[in-house]
Amino acid sequence: MDNDVKDSHETQPGRNEEDVLPFLSHGIGGNPATLPKQPSKSVSWLRITFYIFGSLFIGFSLFRILTPARHTQWKLQLPWAAQDGASDDDKISPLGDKYLIGVGKADITGPVVEVNFMGYADPKQLGTGLRQRLYSRAFIVGDVDRPDDRFVYLVLDTQSGDTAVRYGILNALQELGPSFAVYSHNNVAVTGTHSHAGPAGWLNYLLPQITSKGFDRQGYQAIVDGAVHSIRLAHESLQPGYLSIGTTKVDGANINRSLYAYLANPEDERARYNASAEDDGSVEKELTLLKFQRSSDSKNIGVLTWFPTHGTSLLGNNTLVAGDNKGVAAYLFEKSIRDEETAAERFVAGFSQASVGDTSPNVLGAWCEDGSGEQCSFENSTCRDGKSQACHARGPFFRVNDNGASSCFEIGKRQLEPARALYDALQRDPNPVRGSWVKSFHTFHNMSDFSFHLPNGSWARTCPAALGYSFAAGTSDGPGAFDFTQHDGNENTTSPMWRVVSRLLKEPTPHQRACHDPKPILLDVGEMENPYQWTPNVVDVQTFRVGQLVIIVSPGEATTMAGRRWKEAVRSATVILSQQESSSPSSAVASPVVVLGGPANSYTHYITTEEEYAIQRYEGASTLYGPHTLAAYINVTLSFMPYLSASSSAPPEHKIFPPDNSNRSMSFIPGVVRDGTPFFKSFGDVLVDVERVYKRGAQVRATFVGANPRNNLRLEETYAAVEKLVLPSPPRIWDENKLPWHQVRNDGDWDLVFHWRRTSEIMGSSEAEIVWETGDEESGVYRLRYYGDAKSLGGTVTAFEGVSSGFKLV
């Protein structure tokens, strides 16, 4: 038995090693024969007795004696809890059990110019503006009777979760006061939508910092502050409510970009998911939606969805910050619900990733952009020249020259429409979440040398993190550079220079090479620690449970089949937990709903099946801890499943922690020195004005004397706005300078785009262009407004505004 595993179990009161063995002996595809039973709490039976038979006096006395002090404190803080507790009627409600629910949304937009983007790892992809603001969306679920039992699920419009960001969030929550002390490593999940169109420079480890010129404190702080603000809003809105869950099918929003590797999985396993010619099972088409409905007025406060498709609709030549297709879907859902009676005022829609690893939103496939008109090679995604650079995946509107924006909007819409239809169906016919328990666990696990049993009884182990040659080849969503290729990339098929570079960084030992076999190691990142760690070896393993819903929080990008195996193992364990929690053998047990969300908490690249790993396409080469990476994640998850039992009381104790490099990370990103203006011009002056009349569907443009947007991120504000003139009623002759203007668009809207470019390094001058892509807006009189902030040589930052002339939209 591995020492790390033993240590983690020693922290569980009343359990011994024999209790844990049924979990450890079942990894991928295992069906645990039994779960360790834990003694039921007498408090729970006394409450049942109180509800059914007890007198009010006896019940009140027992309640005061047996209820922990924290429960009393909660009721003092939230007066509604005392008068809105669970009753017999609540327990048989067609809406299910009551939970504490809260949602919140906050701005996390970092620097939109002069900073590298995170995702494609291209140093030349520097931000030049903003198409859509980035947000953190927080969802809290808690137990009404045990309010400390709760979890927070964050959906950030970022490439992934991150160790440094998570540390920053947790530290900031502790500073908010005692009522926020309940949030900890155990119950906070920080997930990313996997957008490849956001600023980089905020990740904890060195490898992703290389292309971003190090660590960007400004962007990091924007994410942390916004995430904390969203949690605070969700926390302050907590109240009793109901959860309803359902699944639906999403067509035309994803394909498998590594089908050659997927087909290496066993045929009988693949056949289980092969539904039709249109749905061959190579990607998951199911979207799961969780609806949050408060009980006070039956209004819905939010939805949280899981569906897998990469955040690569916006291409590697895009330089406008946006939330990619998940950001579009969330934006459209929130916009569609805005004026509906069934929705609360601050409705929040979160579109989380699922088993995203081998999926692509570029659903027309990979084609050679070399004039040949041919599809890329099926095995290794190369073109006639044997290289990958000309191989590009195509989205629905690939012919539109907008760096993927039209395809991005379409893929977002294809997720929105079935999600919205499912939301409406659940409104008419709820499928309630039942089971009053809300449980969570989190552990840090060292993957650098973890030994464990596979389901067949043999031993397996993981390795210190390493990346293979095919990692550098990239994918058809974003091809790599030089002569790297997927599947057959190794030191014999690439320039000898890469062998030299690889060994100069760190020569893998024979032991390390054997551990990762058949991966040819390009970067032995897990054994490089100068000037600090290059990539994580200590990883997050986390799972949430509310009623029949179980959420696996994955730190890596699980491929389609890897995610299925992980979910099936957890589902089998959850069935046994549910049977043990049943009041009698004949009681109905709700079928578990298991979802996988991520990449979360820390970014550990990819998680493939052993069969896919052997193929060594991009995903297999990016599976950090060797061929048994997936089995290890499943093994550790199952060993901690008893913490999700209804009778579990204390979360696991953390024995090890990953490093927080946020205060020692290097940065080579130059700051803003000063802003200047052209001769005879002032900040905000109009350089190119709008025309007087536009037809709907036209693009409205205006250019202003600008200043660097990095001077002020304008969180919860805007750089750009469209204003509409409020005309008098009845109509009469009017002066637009004496009538009010109402803001109808800001830079959080997809169709209002903010561009920035520097015009003189010496003068420090720049221009800001605002583009409004009009659609079916009402006719009327409009104008564009620019909000900027200029920095003097002495460091003083001064706000200013610019406004275009009015124009008529007809």
Side-chain angles (χ1 to χ4, degrees), residues 323-644:
D324 212 275
N325 56 68
K326 293 286 184 184
V328 169
Y331 164 74
L332 291 176
F333 201 115
E334 290 168 352
K335 187 177 179 181
S336 75
I337 212 82
R338 192 170 295 161
D339 299 321
E340 294 202 0
E341 287 294 324
T342 61
E345 183 179 357
R346 295 184 178 179
F347 186 97
V348 178
F351 279 72
S352 182
Q353 279 294 357
S355 300
V356 65
D358 50 1
T359 66
S360 173
N362 298 309
V363 293
L364 299 185
W367 295 78
C368 292
E369 306 290 350
D370 57 2
S372 67
E374 297 176 350
Q375 284 193 291
C376 305
S377 162
F378 180 63
E379 293 84 0
N380 59 12
S381 297
T382 59
C383 294
R384 286 184 174 182
D385 60 1
K387 296 183 178 180
S388 63
Q389 283 71 53
C391 178
H392 291 276
R394 294 176 173 178
F397 294 102
F398 74 96
R399 295 190 185 280
V400 180
N401 186 22
D402 60 2
N403 304 331
S406 296
S407 292
C408 180
F409 191 85
E410 177 65 20
I411 295 297
K413 199 169 95 173
R414 292 182 187 182
Q415 293 172 75
L416 158 78
E417 290 171 347
R420 183 59 213 262
L422 177 57
Y423 168 86
D424 292 337
L426 290 174
Q427 186 67 17
R428 295 187 302 269
D429 185 18
N431 180 34
V433 174
R434 296 187 184 276
S436 59
W437 51 86
V438 178
K439 300 295 181 181
S440 63
F441 74 76
H442 173 276
T443 186
F444 289 118
H445 188 77
N446 191 339
M447 284 284 211
S448 64
D449 189 12
F450 170 50
S451 297
F452 60 100
H453 274 116
L454 292 173
N456 62 11
S458 63
W459 279 93
R461 67 184 178 89
T462 56
C463 330
L467 292 161
Y469 273 73
S470 294
F471 157 77
T475 71
S476 54
D477 286 336
F482 308 108
D483 54 352
F484 295 97
T485 57
Q486 297 191 69
H487 170 49
D488 50 8
N490 57 62
E491 60 184 25
N492 298 318
T493 61
T494 56
S495 167
M497 173 186 70
W498 301 117
R499 190 184 318 167
V500 174
V501 170
S502 174
R503 292 174 180 177
L504 280 175
L505 291 172
K506 172 69 173 64
E507 171 75 11
T509 64
H511 181 272
Q512 175 77 327
R513 291 183 185 276
C515 188
H516 280 273
D517 186 67
K519 177 199 294 176
I521 296 175
L522 172 66
L523 297 173
D524 192 11
V525 286
E527 298 185 304
M528 294 193 287
E529 297 185 354
N530 290 318
Y532 41 91
Q533 287 187 358
W534 283 53
T535 202
N537 279 322
V538 175
V539 307
D540 302 73
V541 179
Q542 185 176 45
T543 305
F544 294 158
R545 183 188 184 197
V546 51
Q548 74 266 35
L549 173 64
V550 180
I551 305 169
I552 302 169
V553 183
S554 172
E557 300 179 52
T559 60
T560 300
M561 195 62 82
R564 285 169 176 160
R565 292 182 186 178
W566 199 346
K567 287 186 292 183
E568 281 300 318
V570 169
R571 184 178 290 108
S572 297
T574 306
V575 166
I576 297 173
L577 279 180
S578 299
Q579 291 170 347
Q580 291 184 350
E581 292 156 351
S582 177
S583 58
S584 69
S586 61
S587 298
V589 178
S591 178
V593 178
V594 183
V595 296
L596 184 150
N601 296 331
S602 181
Y603 185 56
T604 62
H605 293 255
Y606 284 72
I607 303 170
T608 55
T609 67
E610 290 187 16
E611 295 86 351
E612 293 163 352
Y613 183 91
I615 298 299
Q616 281 296 296
R617 277 180 62 92
Y618 174 81
E619 294 81 12
S622 303
T623 295
L624 289 180
Y625 310 110
H628 302 299
T629 296
L630 170 62
Y633 276 114
I634 293 175
N635 180 279
V636 177
T637 302
L638 294 183
S639 71
F640 281 86
M641 284 293 289
Y643 284 107
L644 301 185

Side-chain angles (χ1 to χ4, degrees), residues 160-401:
S160 66
D162 174 69
T163 299
V165 167
R166 192 166 185 270
Y167 273 131
I169 291 170
L170 292 173
N171 291 337
L173 287 172
Q174 299 309 305
E175 295 173 0
L176 292 179
S179 66
F180 288 85
V182 67
Y183 303 112
S184 67
H185 280 296
N186 281 300
N187 60 4
V188 175
V190 183
T191 82
T193 60
H194 205 46
S195 168
H196 284 44
W202 42 267
L203 286 100
N204 189 57
Y205 295 95
L206 181 63
L207 182 64
Q209 294 177 5
I210 292 173
T211 53
S212 65
K213 297 183 179 178
F215 191 77
D216 179 58
R217 173 66 57 176
Q218 185 184 40
Y220 163 84
Q221 202 63 51
I223 296 172
V224 170
D225 291 347
V228 171
H229 186 44
S230 70
I231 294 173
R232 183 170 188 167
L233 292 172
H235 174 86
E236 292 172 350
S237 72
L238 276 172
Q239 58 184 291
Y242 303 100
L243 299 172
S244 189
I245 193 163
T247 61
T248 189
K249 190 173 180 180
V250 179
D251 291 318
N254 62 358
I255 61 170
N256 195 309
R257 70 184 186 189
S258 283
L259 188 58
Y260 184 72
Y262 175 84
L263 293 176
N265 292 305
E267 183 178 358
D268 59 342
E269 184 180 30
R270 289 186 281 111
R272 291 165 51 195
Y273 306 101
N274 191 340
S276 65
E278 293 74 26
D279 182 7
D280 63 1
S282 60
V283 289
E284 292 185 316
K285 298 290 187 181
E286 293 76 26
L287 178 145
T288 301
L289 182 145
L290 183 67
K291 182 168 72 71
F292 293 67
Q293 182 181 17
R294 64 193 183 197
S295 60
S296 59
D297 58 5
S298 296
K299 287 198 173 185
N300 300 311
I301 61 173
V303 295
L304 177 56
T305 76
W306 291 269
F307 174 77
T309 191
H310 247 83
T312 50
S313 289
L314 292 168
L315 306 176
N317 57 1
N318 167 67
T319 55
L320 296 175
V321 167
D324 212 275
N325 56 68
K326 293 286 184 184
V328 169
Y331 164 74
L332 291 176
F333 201 115
E334 290 168 352
K335 187 177 179 181
S336 75
I337 212 82
R338 192 170 295 161
D339 299 321
E340 294 202 0
E341 287 294 324
T342 61
E345 183 179 357
R346 295 184 178 179
F347 186 97
V348 178
F351 279 72
S352 182
Q353 279 294 357
S355 300
V356 65
D358 50 1
T359 66
S360 173
N362 298 309
V363 293
L364 299 185
W367 295 78
C368 292
E369 306 290 350
D370 57 2
S372 67
E374 297 176 350
Q375 284 193 291
C376 305
S377 162
F378 180 63
E379 293 84 0
N380 59 12
S381 297
T382 59
C383 294
R384 286 184 174 182
D385 60 1
K387 296 183 178 180
S388 63
Q389 283 71 53
C391 178
H392 291 276
R394 294 176 173 178
F397 294 102
F398 74 96
R399 295 190 185 280
V400 180
N401 186 22

